[in-house]
Amino acid sequence: MDLPFALAFVLLLTSCYAIDEDFSEELLLRPLPDGNVLAHFHFASTLPPVDHYGVHHRLFPKAIFQLVRKFRIKEMELSFTQGRWNYQRWGVGDPIAQLAAKPVGVELTASLDVPEAEVDSTWGNLTHALSGLFCASINFLESPTTFLEPWFSWRPEANWTGGGGAFDAPGVKRVVKGKKWSKSSRTRYGALPREAVCTENLTPWLKLLPCRDKAGLTTLLDRPTIYSGMYHSQRLIITSGDFDRDEEGTTLEQTLTVVLRKPAVSEGLSSKLQDWTLSGLFGSKLEGKCPLATTSSVYLELEESLAKHLAGDLSKETRINFVDNRVFSLSSAPSRVLASLSGSLLLEYEAGTHSELDLGVTWRAPVDWSPARGRFYTSRYLAGSGNARGSIVISFRANDGPSGDCYSPGIEAVEYVDIMILQMIPWYVRLYGHTLQVSLDGRNVEFWSVVRLMRFTPAEDRKAPAAVEIALRVSIATQAVTLTIQYDKGFLHIDEHPPDANRGFDLPSAVITFPRCRVFKQFQSDDVGHSHILAVVQVVDCFVFPSPSFVFALLLQSQRPMQIYSEVSLMQLATPDFSMPYNVITLTCTVLALYFGSLLNALRRRIGEEERESKEGKKAGLLSQKLKWLRNEKHMRVIKVILVVIIGVAVNHYLSSS
Amino acid sequence: MVLQGRRSLALWGGMTLAAIARLLLLMSGASARLSRSVEIATPVTSLVRLEEGFWLKKLGLSPYAGSVYHGSPLLLEIIGPLGANSPILFLLSDFATALLIILIGKRLSAARDHYTHWNIGITHSMLFLTGETLDIGEIAALLYLFNPFTVFVCVGGSTSSFESFVVCLALYASLEGNAPLAAFAWVMASHFAMYPLVLLIPVTSRTFDLATHILCVFFLKIASALCCGPDKPRSKIFRLKSSESLKSSTNVQWQKLWSFILWSAVWSSCVLGLCNRILRHDGGLGEMLRETYGFILTVKDLTPNIGVYWYFFTEVFDFYRSFFLMVFHGNIFCMIAPLSICFYHRPIFLSFILMAVVSTLKSYPSVGDAALYLGLMGLFTHELSDFKYAFLLLNSYICVAALGPVMFNLWIWRGTGNANFYFATALAYAFVQTILIVESVNSMLRFERGLKLTIKTTLSSSKKDN
């Protein structure tokens, strides 16, 4: 970035934020190929820098503001998820999937702008604060066995410049060790796969919105409906600028993604696709907007392969009747239609203009379309049986469809795919690093020929989880990549088992990043306007598509490489008998007593003649005379009293000193 | 001559058979299965963990990172690079141990020979089995080699066969009166496994020349006991008579002891220095001691094994943990004194008993520990000839050895049993070993009582003759 451009950029930012607080609410609906409907609520609040604006806010939640200031949060992402994002049916590598797909349970990532030595303690305090704020046991993330410090695979774009970066640099240590890689050491990543998500987490989340659930899009959030969906992910993203310069202000994004079950009506044309309306899905129509929101829109997204069914040509000149065409008919006409450069369509409805919006889709012809696909489908599973050992397998299977290739900026001819894996494994799964194995297309290959970079931080019993980060580079022709590592299952103390121990333990998801694949959808820049959702959707690599408008600033923040999460695996550990402590203690001590008593007895026993001899030989020595003195009852009593006094004094001294 | 021929045939034939059995098992691929079984590989001796430690070290991390490896850094350097060839090493160490046992046996028989020369009524038949074809050392060596425990440990590969070798080396060197070697082996053994520390007393008490010493001390004791007896003049003569030969040996003892202490100091500083050098980039010696001795003492790993600690510390309430740790380890160490007082004149027997005690009560026992003391037991075939419950004990050992893996399989692999079943076999194993220890002590004391009685009657009859 050259200097004038950077200056202009800073000016843009300041001018953009210095105005006022801003709140926008948006909802994106997308019919999914399997007939379900995806609803993505996106609420964004921005706060101008404190220097310009002060600390009294109209819209921005005070709780979050205080959190940001107190813990100096540069970036934070907290997600509560229930259900599993089905990458194959709902899409991989499209911007919404990227946002929506989160691992089951709670996931928290935070970059803190505090001195490196204080990061862990600040993280601990932050988890407690969040725990109170969201009524969840996020405070469990304070324990060092549940979080880790990612070294290079989290947000690789921050550490890895441009296209090749550290991968290609000569002399990069293949194994990252110790503190040698300290670039991102203020970021912490933690996950609680076991955390159940419910309305008690949603209510405090809604409280952060200026209109709560009284007006606007949030009125759609009917609790039974959204929690009975197939997937539910609620997130909170905080981004704030540099604390010392304080030029960027703070942004709070709250998103809620639900995949709602297709309505159980059997009148549709195909068995898969069902007609739906907003009121059918959520139980109520959309009435008005939140009066405090600057933008309040509803979008209906038609994916590329669905949009293709509408007409051959989707350029702006040809007018397609979106309300009533041969594929579907809509209940109301959109106020705007946006077409992305790749061919997908966004129909925009202004929530405020309609007094009552009940958007619905009625299918007219059976259509079949496929969701966005990444280069690889990923799955992680546990191999082996029994409770002694097994192996963790992470496998990548090439997508056989046409849209398999991902977009890689800056590289003309892509001959290889880079894959980065970040995996946190709890300590009770004892990984054997020497058993790490990579196989390409079913054949084992030499480990270092494929692995470009690896970080292996072994777990410490009861202290830290194992952290494995691996960067692989495989040729684009590879059909299957499998990574295997063996482990022994640990054995836990009875108190370390959860109440339902036989359910098993959840291994956190592996985070898999394709650093060269950028997830993006590009629209005409003047179409985007103030919409935050479009800004997110339009994730463009700035070096390739420099966009002139101020929206560019927003885009820059959300530039992300493709990241997907593996499944959460459930691991059974052998359990002890929880009802046995007393029995075990008594039985073991009995054996010990038997050993001790009988051995001592055998050693000191005298028989027959020996006994006589020893008695005769034992003349009344000095010791036995003293003992005789002790046997006198009076003396004994005195000694007992003295002993009690001594013990009392000793105990008192001990207690007072400690 | 014929006897000699038969004897060497039995010995060498037995050794070859033992080697063939091991090689066959190795080739059949049993080692992969055996090396992960909890009876053979404990967290301290496991070869898989050693491999992981070696891998971590190659990566540039500390071998102790990750609470996986808990052995010596020296073993890491020796066995680590061997990789898949290490079974050959264990095979060799097994046979070297057997050889050492044979040599120990030779020294013991020589000592016994020595005390038949004293004219105090002890005949050859009282000390040696009549008509035996094999020397006691050879019996013990064959017992050691053919013990299925030894075979499995050797094939499965665990560093405990190394430990056995060093322990036997310490015993042999101290019998030879070779203070530097004894000190070296004792330091190494303690470094590898910590528990051989308890062998300090038997090893040092034998740095003095055994042949003239151990049994002399025994006689000295008897003589002094006789002093108090009714027969004063005669016993004075006896004392005079015995002290001539005793003097020479009792005088040199202290010198040897000092040289042993000196050499142990030298060797331990060597070993620690070497370890420090190996670990200089990582945690250093502090981490090594924490992860080896500390790990053994604090019982952090609750992986099931044939001992009783794992389940006890799985179940016990947290606030009693340190108390019971002290009690359990105290049980090993507080028995050293009484045993040493009773058997200081029989160092090999004392070390056999101590090894059995350690094997019963150590935090991570494996069948390798049992293999060693069961082998050494063969050295006392005569002394322990009136051992009671031998049949019962043998069957109990077999039952426990068979039931242990079955119960483990039911609990861990099939999920039909539970931990209690496996713990029951561990408890039974501890019980069986306790009986073995107590009964060995009992029969040894009985044997000595018999000897004493013989000496006494001989002396009183010779007095009558006068």
Side-chain angles (χ1 to χ4, degrees):
Chain A
M1 212 186 287
D2 52 345
L3 191 65
F5 188 75
L7 272 177
F9 172 59
V10 169
L11 278 175
L12 261 171
L13 277 177
T14 43
S15 62
C16 152
Y17 279 113
I19 313 162
D20 198 2
E21 285 173 65
D22 179 63
F23 172 72
S24 71
E25 52 172 12
E26 281 153 299
L27 165 64
L28 184 136
L29 293 163
R30 181 204 279 177
L32 292 169
D34 60 356
N36 299 311
V37 181
L38 176 122
H40 178 80
F41 293 85
H42 200 107
F43 306 96
S45 310
T46 51
L47 183 68
V50 175
D51 288 356
H52 299 273
Y53 191 76
V55 291
H56 300 289
H57 316 130
R58 220 160 39 86
L59 299 173
F60 199 84
K62 198 174 176 69
I64 298 295
F65 179 72
Q66 285 172 340
L67 210 67
V68 170
R69 301 305 289 185
K70 177 144 196 244
F71 301 111
R72 295 178 72 85
I73 300 168
K74 283 205 69 159
E75 243 184 304
M76 193 192 89
E77 191 175 323
L78 173 68
S79 71
F80 297 87
T81 308
Q82 208 174 38
R84 189 168 59 86
W85 179 264
N86 191 330
Y87 283 102
Q88 297 206 15
R89 291 198 301 185
W90 303 339
V92 194
D94 83 278
I96 294 297
Q98 174 94 340
L99 265 178
K102 284 276 143 190
V104 181
V106 167
E107 189 204 45
L108 176 66
T109 322
S111 290
L112 305 168
D113 187 23
V114 292
E116 229 168 273
E118 291 168 27
V119 175
D120 282 345
S121 60
T122 314
W123 162 272
N125 294 337
L126 173 67
T127 57
H128 277 271
L130 288 173
S131 174
L133 201 58
F134 288 103
C135 300
S137 26
I138 306 172
N139 55 319
F140 286 164
L141 285 174
E142 186 198 14
S143 146
T145 55
T146 51
F147 71 88
L148 57 79
E149 175 198 331
W151 281 358
F152 60 82
S153 60
W154 187 261
R155 297 288 173 78
E157 74 277 8
N159 301 324
W160 296 35
T161 50
F167 259 148
D168 299 327
V172 165
K173 250 187 105 70
R174 276 176 161 178
V175 179
V176 187
K177 184 208 159 195
K179 292 281 170 204
K180 278 180 187 164
W181 197 292
S182 55
K183 260 189 166 173
S184 61
S185 61
R186 284 171 193 165
T187 303
R188 294 292 181 274
Y189 170 81
L192 291 175
R194 215 189 163 109
E195 182 73 17
V197 179
C198 201
T199 47
E200 59 175 8
N201 307 121
L202 183 70
T203 312
W205 184 84
L206 285 172
K207 274 190 185 170
L208 299 176
L209 298 170
C211 291
R212 304 211 172 172
D213 53 351
K214 306 293 180 219
L217 295 179
T218 41
T219 50
L220 292 177
L221 292 175
D222 172 41
R223 307 293 193 283
T225 315
I226 59 171
Y227 282 103
S228 64
M230 302 180 86
Y231 179 81
H232 168 91
S233 176
Q234 161 199 333
R235 301 199 316 162
L236 181 88
I237 305 162
I238 299 172
T239 331
S240 84
D242 206 323
F243 281 90
D244 300 324
R245 287 188 298 145
D246 198 17
E247 280 164 348
E248 288 171 39
T250 311
T251 313
L252 167 70
E253 283 175 80
Q254 286 173 267
T255 70
L256 176 74
T257 312
V258 278
V259 174
L260 297 166
R261 283 172 202 282
K262 51 186 168 189
V265 192
S266 55
E267 285 169 18
L269 281 169
S270 83
S271 59
K272 236 168 62 173
L273 294 173
Q274 299 292 347
D275 305 337
W276 53 266
T277 57
L278 266 186
S279 55
L281 287 174
F282 292 103
S284 64
K285 293 168 184 171
L286 182 60
E287 291 165 11
K289 58 177 244 179
C290 170
L292 296 168
T294 43
T295 322
S296 181
S297 329
V298 177
Y299 298 94
L300 180 67
E301 190 192 6
L302 305 174
E303 285 179 283
E304 294 154 43
S305 45
L306 173 62
K308 274 186 194 128
H309 286 284
L310 294 182
D313 188 16
L314 278 175
S315 62
K316 277 210 153 181
E317 288 74 35
T318 49
R319 289 274 163 218
I320 303 167
N321 187 358
F322 288 107
V323 179
D324 200 11
N325 56 37
R326 62 188 180 87
V327 180
F328 56 79
S329 68
L330 298 178
S331 58
S332 46
S335 53
R336 246 190 345 157
V337 177
L338 309 175
S340 84
L341 296 187
S342 58
S344 65
L345 290 173
L346 268 186
L347 315 184
E348 187 183 329
Y349 296 83
E350 293 282 343
T353 53
H354 300 72
S355 61
E356 202 172 65
L357 177 65
D358 188 13
L359 179 59
V361 176
T362 313
W363 299 99
R364 296 212 151 167
V367 279
D368 202 9
W369 76 98
S370 62
R373 288 170 167 181
R375 172 76 198 146
F376 285 110
Y377 287 129
T378 308
S379 68
R380 185 189 67 179
Y381 53 91
L382 302 176
S385 65
N387 283 338
R389 53 181 172 267
S391 47
I392 298 173
V393 185
I394 298 179
S395 80
F396 301 91
R397 196 163 40 78
N399 171 20
D400 44 1
S403 56
D405 292 338
C406 57
Y407 167 71
S408 305
I411 291 166
E412 297 310 318
V414 186
E415 290 150 2
Y416 41 77
V417 183
D418 286 335
I419 305 169
M420 278 196 214
I421 301 163
L422 168 67
Q423 173 76 79
M424 175 167 75
I425 298 283
W427 66 268
Y428 42 79
V429 181
R430 194 165 288 114
L431 292 180
Y432 288 120
H434 70 273
T435 60
L436 261 173
Q437 233 176 23
V438 184
S439 76
L440 301 179
D441 297 334
R443 284 187 325 277
N444 283 346
V445 293
E446 211 269 308
F447 187 67
W448 293 113
S449 68
V450 184
V451 174
R452 305 292 303 230
L453 211 61
M454 181 175 81
R455 168 242 188 147
F456 188 90
T457 307
E460 258 183 276
D461 282 4
R462 297 178 178 83
K463 283 197 194 116
V468 187
E469 284 177 81
I470 291 177
L472 297 167
R473 174 173 285 183
V474 295
S475 112
I476 198 104
T478 312
Q479 291 298 306
V481 186
T482 316
L483 200 78
T484 321
I485 187 168
Q486 288 178 22
Y487 61 85
D488 268 358
K489 292 183 185 178
F491 290 82
L492 302 179
H493 186 264
I494 43 171
D495 293 345
E496 290 167 330
H497 282 281
D500 51 346
N502 284 308
R503 178 187 165 266
F505 290 76
D506 298 280
L507 296 192
S509 304
V511 186
I512 291 142
T513 316
F514 296 89
R516 285 165 190 281
C517 299
R518 302 286 157 142
V519 174
F520 81 113
K521 248 171 208 177
Q522 204 199 11
F523 297 93
Q524 299 291 329
S525 53
D526 44 333
D527 281 349
V528 176
H530 287 272
S531 163
H532 282 268
I533 206 165
L534 292 190
V536 170
V537 167
Q538 183 181 12
V539 185
V540 183
D541 189 303
C542 59
F543 297 100
V544 181
F545 301 103
S547 160
S549 87
F550 82 95
V551 177
F552 173 58
L554 302 174
L555 305 184
L556 196 70
Q557 290 171 16
S558 43
Q559 161 197 327
R560 293 262 169 96
M562 191 166 123
Q563 194 169 59
I564 54 181
Y565 291 88
S566 75
E567 300 91 333
V568 166
S569 316
L570 192 62
M571 177 181 284
Q572 290 253 307
L573 292 188
T575 53
D577 189 331
F578 294 101
S579 60
M580 284 284 279
Y582 293 103
N583 303 341
V584 169
I585 292 170
T586 47
L587 285 171
T588 313
C589 289
T590 308
V591 169
L592 275 189
L594 185 85
Y595 149 81
F596 189 83
S598 53
L599 185 55
L600 217 57
N601 184 35
L603 286 175
R604 65 165 296 281
R605 191 170 50 194
R606 300 283 178 274
I607 45 167
E609 204 182 346
E610 282 176 338
E611 199 152 4
R612 238 178 304 120
E613 269 173 21
S614 60
K615 263 182 196 160
E616 279 169 23
K618 200 195 281 168
K619 296 279 177 295
L622 196 66
L623 192 70
S624 56
Q625 276 177 7
K626 290 267 168 288
L627 285 174
K628 205 173 266 173
W629 182 80
L630 273 184
R631 274 186 210 119
N632 187 324
E633 212 167 291
K634 224 185 244 170
H635 295 151
M636 203 60 210
R637 209 171 293 157
V638 173
I639 287 173
K640 273 182 189 164
V641 169
I642 293 172
L643 264 179
V644 166
V645 169
I646 290 174
I647 291 171
V649 168
V651 167
N652 192 32
H653 178 75
Y654 175 75
L655 288 179
S656 62
S657 67
S658 66
Chain B
M1 219 38 219
V2 177
L3 193 72
Q4 196 65 36
R6 212 186 291 162
R7 195 168 147 174
S8 56
L9 181 76
L11 181 64
W12 294 112
M15 283 210 161
T16 327
L17 263 180
I20 289 173
R22 281 165 170 74
L23 286 174
L24 276 180
L25 271 175
L26 270 178
M27 281 189 289
S28 71
S31 59
R33 205 181 170 80
L34 288 173
S35 67
R36 303 288 284 267
S37 96
V38 287
E39 288 85 6
I40 289 166
T42 68
V44 183
T45 63
S46 159
L47 224 53
V48 183
R49 287 173 181 252
L50 188 140
E51 220 175 311
E52 175 72 4
F54 186 64
W55 185 80
L56 287 174
K57 184 143 176 41
K58 269 201 301 188
L59 275 196
L61 293 163
S62 160
Y64 297 110
S67 319
V68 173
Y69 183 58
H70 299 288
S72 148
L74 299 177
L75 280 178
L76 206 67
E77 294 294 311
I78 300 167
I79 303 176
L82 285 176
N85 296 326
S86 53
I88 302 299
L89 201 69
F90 297 126
L91 200 101
L92 289 179
S93 94
D94 254 17
F95 280 87
T97 311
L99 218 61
L100 286 172
I101 293 177
I102 293 177
L103 291 174
I104 291 171
K106 283 228 165 73
R107 299 293 300 188
L108 279 183
S109 327
R112 281 175 201 172
D113 261 339
H114 190 265
Y115 87 126
T116 53
H117 295 321
W118 295 25
N119 193 17
I120 43 171
I122 294 173
T123 58
H124 193 270
S125 66
M126 286 173 71
L127 298 172
F128 297 96
L129 290 179
T130 44
E132 62 188 290
T133 48
L134 286 172
D135 195 37
I136 44 163
E138 288 157 5
I139 294 175
L142 287 182
L143 210 62
Y144 176 73
L145 283 180
F146 275 108
N147 190 339
F149 288 172
T150 326
V151 177
F152 287 144
V153 167
C154 172
V155 174
S158 98
T159 55
S160 57
S161 51
F162 244 42
E163 284 156 26
S164 308
F165 168 69
V166 200
V167 166
C168 283
L169 186 65
L171 294 184
Y172 170 70
S174 61
L175 279 186
E176 285 287 325
N178 189 344
L181 186 62
F184 171 73
W186 178 69
V187 166
M188 287 307 273
S190 315
H191 172 59
F192 288 160
M194 185 183 97
Y195 287 105
L197 278 175
V198 303
L199 296 179
L200 175 67
I201 290 168
V203 169
T204 47
S205 72
R206 261 170 312 110
T207 46
F208 332 130
D209 190 4
L210 175 106
T212 52
H213 175 63
I214 53 161
L215 302 170
C216 293
V217 175
F218 174 55
F219 282 110
L220 191 68
K221 198 179 166 200
I222 295 169
S224 62
L226 286 174
C227 272
C228 312
D231 208 342
K232 281 193 172 127
R234 194 63 201 149
S235 71
K236 261 180 194 166
I237 294 167
F238 178 74
R239 265 174 92 189
L240 283 175
K241 188 183 169 189
S242 56
S243 59
E244 287 165 28
S245 51
L246 281 179
K247 243 172 203 166
S248 57
S249 62
T250 42
N251 285 345
V252 293
Q253 283 175 22
W254 294 110
Q255 198 190 334
K256 290 239 174 171
L257 185 67
W258 286 122
S259 108
F260 177 84
I261 292 171
L262 189 74
W263 276 107
S264 337
V266 169
W267 288 123
S268 6
S269 52
C270 283
V271 165
L272 291 181
L274 211 60
C275 293
N276 195 28
R277 197 175 152 63
I278 293 171
L279 300 172
R280 64 189 178 282
H281 299 306
D282 313 310
L285 284 184
E287 189 189 23
M288 184 191 88
L289 290 179
R290 248 196 331 277
E291 289 290 327
T292 52
Y293 283 19
F295 177 76
I296 290 170
L297 288 174
T298 52
V299 199
K300 281 182 193 147
D301 196 319
L302 300 174
T303 310
N305 54 43
I306 52 174
V308 289
Y309 280 42
W310 64 273
Y311 204 46
F312 188 86
F313 288 108
T314 302
E315 296 274 352
V316 83
F317 311 103
D318 232 15
F319 40 89
Y320 285 137
R321 192 183 157 87
S322 32
F323 169 71
F324 277 110
L325 277 176
M326 282 190 280
V327 169
F328 278 28
H329 289 291
N331 255 313
I332 298 181
F333 294 102
C334 75
M335 265 304 168
I336 298 176
L339 281 171
S340 307
I341 291 168
C342 264
F343 293 110
Y344 68 96
H345 55 284
R346 287 188 173 276
I348 296 279
F349 183 74
L350 177 58
S351 34
F352 153 68
I353 290 293
L354 285 178
M355 272 185 248
V357 166
V358 163
S359 157
T360 316
L361 293 179
K362 78 193 283 194
S363 41
Y364 308 103
S366 76
V367 291
D369 303 301
L372 182 61
Y373 76 74
L374 288 177
L376 286 183
M377 202 178 171
L379 293 171
F380 311 102
T381 34
H382 184 63
E383 283 90 338
L384 303 183
S385 53
D386 70 334
F387 192 91
K388 282 181 205 159
Y389 321 121
F391 182 70
L392 180 82
L393 274 183
L394 179 70
N395 284 312
S396 316
Y397 265 97
I398 293 173
C399 279
V400 167
L403 274 180
V406 170
M407 291 306 175
F408 189 76
N409 189 292
L410 282 182
W411 173 35
I412 297 292
W413 294 99
R414 278 167 219 288
T416 48
N418 76 16
N420 300 339
F421 292 93
Y422 185 67
F423 179 64
T425 59
L427 214 56
Y429 182 65
F431 183 70
V432 169
Q433 291 190 102
T434 303
I435 294 181
L436 180 97
I437 293 164
V438 172
E439 195 42 41
S440 302
V441 167
N442 264 334
S443 29
M444 185 50 103
L445 288 174
R446 266 202 299 278
F447 174 77
E448 293 204 330
R449 226 166 265 141
L451 273 190
K452 200 162 122 187
L453 206 66
T454 318
I455 294 167
K456 234 163 109 179
T457 43
T458 319
L459 289 179
S460 54
S461 66
S462 64
K463 179 199 158 200
K464 263 174 210 160
D465 292 346
N466 287 351

